[in-house]
Amino acid sequence: MVGWAIAVHGGAGVDPGLPVERQEEARRVLERCLRVGAAGLRAGLPAVDVVEMVVRELETDPVFNSGRGSALTRKGTVEMEASIMDGHGRRCGAVSGLTTVKNPVSLARLVMDRSPHSYLAFDGAEEFAREQGVEVVDNSYFITEENMSMLKRAKEANSIMYDYRVPAPGVDSASDGLEGAKVENGPLMNGLRISVYAPETVGCVVVDSNGWCAAATSTGGLMNKMSGRIGDSPLIGSGTYACGDCAVSCTGEGEAIIRSTLARDVAALVEYKGLSLQEAVDYAIKERLDEGMAGLIAVSRNGEVAYGFNTIGMFRGCATEDGFMEVSIW
Amino acid sequence: MGCWAIAVHGGAGVDPKLPEERQEEARRVLRRCLGVGAAGLRAGLPAVDVVEMVVRELETDPVFNSGRGSALTQEGTVEMEASIMDGRGRRCGSVSGLTTVKNPVSLARLVMDRSPHSYLAFHGAEDFAREQGVEVVDNSYFITDENVRILKLAKEANSIVYDYRVPVPSADTCSASAGPVGATTDGGLQMNGLPISIYAPETVGCVAVDSGGWCAAATSTGGLMNKMSGRIGDSPLIGSGTYACGACAVSCTGEGEAIIRSTLARDVAALMEYKGLGLQEAVDYALKERLDEGKAGLIAVSRNGEVAHGFNTVGMFRGCATEDGFMDVAIW
């Protein structure tokens, strides 16, 4: 028996100018969700049940970018995606392009448990949701006024900025390419000024008392994204990964996380290079992202918790069986 | 200057009773596509251009399961997906849920080169295709009589075969073949829950390393016969079906769910990068240790001009060519 541990995140890349009330509100939500997870772990629930339960809480709360409060597509609608992975058996489920499903992570769980596939998207995922009888609502349920105003600002910002994915001349790696623009406009995430950027994604990683790890990640994706855009959150090995050794959930610039296969890399560094959890996290953030900006949370089978991020801030928290609990932003 | 090398595949998991004419036809197509790729490499094209070009050829030819000749959804339609990755810069692009785009791999290339994103799917991908002016056709273009017939057989087979993803009781691992083991008293081979005689090998792919030592990979498929609409497999997923980096490039085929949970393509590269294995060692290790009961195959090249392949299935349509003039096409 090992000590259980849980970590949560509410997105990486935080506006340093974020008002204190907003910071407090975010901390309260993270703490509440941690307590929900810790209670489940104390009650002996398996890791995969706990991560689903905690991410449901994060999705339902409008403060973070998932479920209600999701970032909006360029059309002003919401398209959500999520994935879950059970380290016990390395089973996984993922969904993308959800428009009416109240809790995307739970549909991802059903894909894993009750469909012959691992990943369902768009109309097919919505049909599966109805077959499974999950709770569905109108797309407008997910849209908050705050995000409508952020979409407007993002559209204005995007119209003057370069395609952030175009590498700077002479650079071999896919950098955000906006070195010049950075100087004038302050830090950027995903091509948007940090003041208009909505930190992406929520996630949870857990190791239960039996040493089994699980991870789940959920998001509305990128503000002003093209309809049909899939980010890293539903992609096993990129935004989410769990195996016998550890569980990882990532957040940040989706394109950077995908090309880095960030979540799998943390586990591969432990498995193939023999690094410890924190060493693997630090290595992955430092060596794999190039100019990409991202963060992640991880737990190991031994009850360790680790974070890493190269962004300004990441909403996060963790709790361990010995009673330790911490929530932070910077 | 390094030596170039190229490998192609047309899917893993082949019916041992496949008629000889069909085997010959498959070999001809693989040889032709290899020839196209080798010509490009000799002419000095970068690896990423070559893999796109070769996969376009494989998509256009109806013999394999991609583009025209794709497996059909349970509704009898075609939904295609593809991904491409340029080891030079580790740039990538993917598409899923395409219904009218003639060459999915080329749309994946455009996502990589001309969109702010890495992965577009379904209506959004189709909209992007129109914005980019790529060639589009009616969904019926992709549907072959053969696959309509196979869909019918698959529906009949699926109604008696267990959900192949249901793990055997008390097995810790997610076993792709555990479910139907009980049901197959005829001892027949299974892939993705279907008897091998009905199974349409999934996917085509190409990996190449150019004379500059840069690697690239691309994979394209119609997916799983009788799949649920909206099902995404491993082929468009970076790290699962496709991966390329400074060290190597990999394209996988087989049971999609097994390849995803194994992050198979990335694992081959990670074994080289983090465990110091050579290309073939990494391929062998990944297939042996990562798939559990899953069935899959893959092709790979390294920056040093090596080619490797591996599969734990019965057969994989494949071929390779290297700068020294070597060329080989094989099924078993």
Side-chain angles (χ1 to χ4, degrees):
Chain A
M1 298 279 273
V2 302
W4 55 256
I6 174 171
V8 292
H9 74 72
V14 187
D15 181 1
L18 189 70
V20 173
E21 321 84 68
R22 300 286 308 280
Q23 298 187 37
E24 263 316 298
E25 184 185 35
R27 284 196 193 94
R28 266 198 312 271
V29 173
L30 290 170
E31 211 178 294
R32 184 173 62 73
C33 294
L34 270 177
R35 291 192 193 288
V36 165
L41 285 162
R42 274 192 297 267
L45 287 183
V48 67
D49 288 357
V50 175
V51 298
E52 182 192 354
M53 187 168 70
V54 170
V55 171
R56 281 177 68 92
E57 288 294 325
L58 289 161
E59 284 170 344
T60 306
D61 197 300
V63 162
F64 295 113
N65 172 13
S66 69
R68 193 150 170 265
S70 279
L72 306 180
T73 67
R74 59 170 64 161
K75 299 179 194 161
T77 57
V78 161
E79 283 173 13
M80 300 166 292
E81 44 195 18
S83 59
I84 187 167
M85 190 160 186
D86 187 354
H88 192 169
R90 269 189 291 128
R91 299 167 56 240
C92 51
V95 286
S96 281
L98 301 185
T99 51
T100 67
V101 174
K102 192 155 181 246
N103 285 101
V105 71
S106 293
L107 192 68
R109 178 88 194 255
L110 289 170
V111 169
M112 175 170 81
D113 288 348
R114 297 212 203 136
S115 86
H117 303 318
S118 287
Y119 189 5
L120 290 177
F122 291 88
D123 296 338
E126 288 275 324
E127 274 173 45
F128 178 68
R130 277 148 186 76
E131 280 165 34
Q132 294 293 316
V134 301
E135 192 175 357
V136 296
V137 293
D138 193 72
N139 197 251
S140 57
Y141 162 87
F142 305 102
I143 300 173
T144 59
E145 291 200 10
E146 162 126 20
N147 280 341
M148 284 174 60
S149 86
M150 291 195 82
L151 177 63
K152 191 158 175 293
R153 291 157 72 196
K155 281 180 180 293
E156 287 157 11
N158 275 348
S159 66
I160 14 170
M161 281 184 177
Y162 294 153
D163 175 351
Y164 74 98
R165 274 185 70 241
V166 174
V171 173
D172 275 345
S173 57
S175 68
D176 65 13
L178 285 165
E179 304 303 329
K182 254 186 185 133
V183 170
E184 287 114 327
N185 298 315
L188 295 170
M189 280 289 293
N190 276 317
L192 293 172
R193 277 194 307 275
I194 198 80
S195 52
V196 299
Y197 179 68
E200 295 184 40
T201 317
V202 296
C204 180
V205 293
V206 160
V207 54
D208 60 33
S209 314
N210 292 314
W212 293 114
C213 300
T217 312
S218 178
T219 189
L222 190 52
M223 189 64 79
N224 201 28
K225 68 183 179 181
M226 293 170 70
S227 176
R229 179 261 189 179
I230 291 178
D232 63 289
S233 303
L235 304 188
I236 297 299
S238 291
T240 300
Y241 191 74
C243 61
D245 289 312
C246 64
V248 185
S249 171
C250 305
T251 164
E253 295 186 319
E255 281 64 33
I257 295 167
I258 293 170
R259 54 186 285 278
S260 310
T261 53
L262 199 61
R264 173 55 184 142
D265 264 55
V266 171
L269 286 160
V270 170
E271 213 172 322
Y272 297 149
K273 211 170 164 74
L275 301 188
S276 69
L277 187 72
Q278 188 68 59
E279 285 178 317
V281 168
D282 293 341
Y283 186 108
I285 297 277
K286 182 162 187 281
E287 304 293 338
R288 295 286 292 159
L289 288 170
D290 300 318
E291 280 78 22
M293 314 282 267
L296 63 93
I297 56 175
V299 289
S300 76
R301 67 177 353 148
N302 301 321
E304 300 157 294
V305 182
Y307 314 124
F309 53 97
N310 67 356
T311 51
I312 296 176
M314 176 171 77
F315 294 108
R316 67 200 181 277
C318 72
T320 47
E321 189 166 2
D322 57 8
F324 177 77
M325 182 184 281
E326 173 194 64
V327 165
S328 30
I329 299 179
W330 314 107
Chain B
M1 293 282 268
C3 295
W4 58 257
I6 176 172
V8 292
H9 74 72
V14 187
D15 182 0
K17 301 206 221 80
L18 190 69
E20 189 54 49
E21 322 84 68
R22 301 284 309 280
Q23 297 189 38
E24 252 321 296
E25 183 184 37
R27 284 193 196 97
R28 264 199 313 272
V29 174
L30 290 168
R31 230 177 265 125
R32 185 175 61 74
C33 295
L34 267 178
V36 165
L41 286 161
R42 270 192 297 268
L45 286 184
V48 67
D49 289 358
V50 173
V51 300
E52 182 192 354
M53 188 170 68
V54 170
V55 171
R56 282 177 68 92
E57 289 294 326
L58 289 161
E59 284 169 342
T60 306
D61 198 300
V63 162
F64 295 112
N65 173 12
S66 69
R68 193 152 169 264
S70 280
L72 306 180
T73 66
Q74 62 190 26
E75 291 152 19
T77 58
V78 162
E79 285 175 10
M80 300 166 291
E81 44 195 17
S83 59
I84 187 166
M85 190 160 186
D86 188 353
R88 186 171 187 173
R90 270 188 291 127
R91 298 166 57 242
C92 51
S94 305
V95 287
S96 281
L98 300 185
T99 51
T100 68
V101 174
K102 193 157 181 244
N103 285 100
V105 70
S106 291
L107 192 68
R109 177 90 194 253
L110 290 169
V111 170
M112 176 170 81
D113 287 346
R114 297 213 202 136
S115 87
H117 302 317
S118 287
Y119 191 2
L120 290 176
F122 293 90
H123 306 305
E126 290 275 324
D127 286 347
F128 178 68
R130 279 148 186 77
E131 280 165 35
Q132 294 293 318
V134 301
E135 191 174 359
V136 296
V137 293
D138 193 72
N139 196 250
S140 57
Y141 162 88
F142 304 102
I143 300 174
T144 58
D145 283 349
E146 162 118 20
N147 280 341
V148 171
R149 186 183 65 82
I150 293 181
L151 177 64
K152 190 160 174 294
L153 294 175
K155 282 182 181 292
E156 285 159 16
N158 276 349
S159 66
I160 17 173
V161 171
Y162 292 156
D163 176 351
Y164 73 98
R165 276 185 68 244
V166 174
V168 169
S170 85
D172 276 342
T173 55
C174 177
S175 165
S177 61
V181 169
T184 48
T185 48
D186 62 354
L189 295 165
Q190 299 262 336
M191 278 287 293
N192 275 317
L194 292 171
I196 196 80
S197 52
I198 296 175
Y199 180 69
E202 295 184 40
T203 318
V204 297
C206 180
V207 292
V209 53
D210 58 35
S211 317
W214 294 113
C215 301
T219 312
S220 178
T221 189
L224 190 52
M225 188 64 78
N226 201 28
K227 68 183 178 182
M228 293 169 70
S229 175
R231 179 261 190 179
I232 292 178
D234 64 289
S235 304
L237 305 189
I238 297 300
S240 291
T242 300
Y243 191 73
C245 60
C248 65
V250 185
S251 171
C252 305
T253 164
E255 294 186 321
E257 282 63 35
I259 295 167
I260 292 169
R261 54 186 285 278
S262 309
T263 53
L264 199 62
R266 172 57 183 140
D267 264 56
V268 170
L271 285 160
M272 293 181 72
E273 220 171 315
Y274 298 150
K275 213 172 164 71
L277 300 189
L279 185 71
Q280 188 68 60
E281 282 182 300
V283 168
D284 293 342
Y285 185 110
L287 285 166
K288 182 162 186 283
E289 304 294 338
R290 294 286 292 162
L291 287 170
D292 300 318
E293 280 79 21
K295 304 261 207 304
L298 63 94
I299 54 175
V301 290
S302 76
R303 62 167 22 130
N304 301 322
E306 301 159 292
V307 183
H309 66 263
F311 53 96
N312 67 357
T313 51
V314 174
M316 176 170 76
F317 294 107
R318 66 200 182 275
C320 69
T322 47
E323 187 165 4
D324 58 7
F326 177 77
M327 184 186 278
D328 179 45
V329 165
I331 299 179
W332 312 110

